[in-house]
Amino acid sequence: MSFAFGHLVFSWLIGKSKEKISKTKLLRVEWFLLLFGAVFPDGDYLIDWIFGINFHRTITHSFLMVLLSFLVIYFVCYFFDKKLNGKRLGLFFAIGILSHLIADFIMGSPGVPLLWPLEYRFWLWGFSYHYIHLTLEQIPKEELVMHLRWAIFDMGLGVLWLGYLFFKNKIKEF
């Protein structure tokens, strides 16, 4: 399980690689869509919390969401401001979401439902069929401790990333 900063750093590395390979700088809106796309799939937690249903890692963690996100950005640009390059902007948002899926795929269980609505879940070491969502009370203590360790690691990663940006003068003030 990757957390917010892990997803952000992974998509940031993709963006920096794109800049280095193409020898061009990404626009602010491209960076925003790439980074927002990287955390967007976990917005499904809000639906879990508000409505009390198990929605996490369903459509938001699938190739269908990557396609839908591209189309939404493309058509919003097409209908509201034709000067914007909807294909390019949609692609950055879709790549951000795809980077999230890749990070979750690498981090493992319970896997990613890439082919949602099919119940197959994929991760680096295989796949499973029909994942059973557990409530917080049902999760073994050892697994909760592992998630807490990853969350703390993620916070440290965030501090390191912000420190790097600060010392590279990408962030002027805190």
Side-chain angles (χ1 to χ4, degrees), residues 105-109 121-128:
F105 174 85
I106 292 169
M107 294 306 291
S109 184
R121 289 176 176 258
F122 301 87
W123 64 89
L124 189 59
W125 306 113
F127 69 95
S128 66

Side-chain angles (χ1 to χ4, degrees), residues 39-156:
V39 294
F40 179 80
D42 283 341
D44 59 8
Y45 274 123
L46 295 173
I47 294 170
D48 283 5
W49 297 333
I50 292 169
F51 299 106
I53 60 173
N54 295 327
F55 191 71
H56 182 61
R57 286 199 177 187
T58 57
I59 188 173
T60 58
H61 285 70
S62 70
F63 289 138
L64 181 59
M65 180 55 67
V66 174
L67 177 63
L68 291 174
S69 66
F70 170 82
L71 293 173
V72 166
I73 298 295
Y74 174 78
F75 284 115
V76 165
C77 292
Y78 181 81
F79 288 114
F80 291 104
D81 192 349
K82 292 187 187 208
K83 291 181 285 186
L84 294 173
N85 185 341
K87 286 181 187 175
R88 184 173 172 90
L89 295 179
L91 190 60
F92 276 97
F93 190 52
I95 290 171
I97 292 173
L98 190 58
S99 76
H100 183 106
L101 303 183
I102 292 168
D104 282 356
F105 174 85
I106 292 169
M107 294 306 291
S109 184
V112 186
L114 298 174
L115 303 176
W116 186 91
L118 299 178
E119 294 192 35
Y120 291 101
R121 289 176 176 258
F122 301 87
W123 64 89
L124 189 59
W125 306 113
F127 69 95
S128 66
Y129 181 75
H130 193 68
Y131 171 71
I132 298 171
H133 186 80
L134 300 175
T135 64
L136 190 58
E137 295 80 24
Q138 296 170 318
I139 298 173
K141 179 183 172 188
E142 299 81 26
E143 191 173 337
L144 288 174
V145 169
M146 180 197 62
H147 286 299
L148 181 59
R149 287 180 180 155
W150 276 112
I152 292 168
F153 172 80
D154 188 68
M155 289 180 236

Side-chain angles (χ1 to χ4, degrees), residues 2-17:
S2 203
F3 293 94
F5 271 115
H7 287 301
L8 289 169
V9 169
F10 186 55
S11 68
W12 177 76
L13 289 171
I14 291 170
K16 293 308 276 181
S17 298

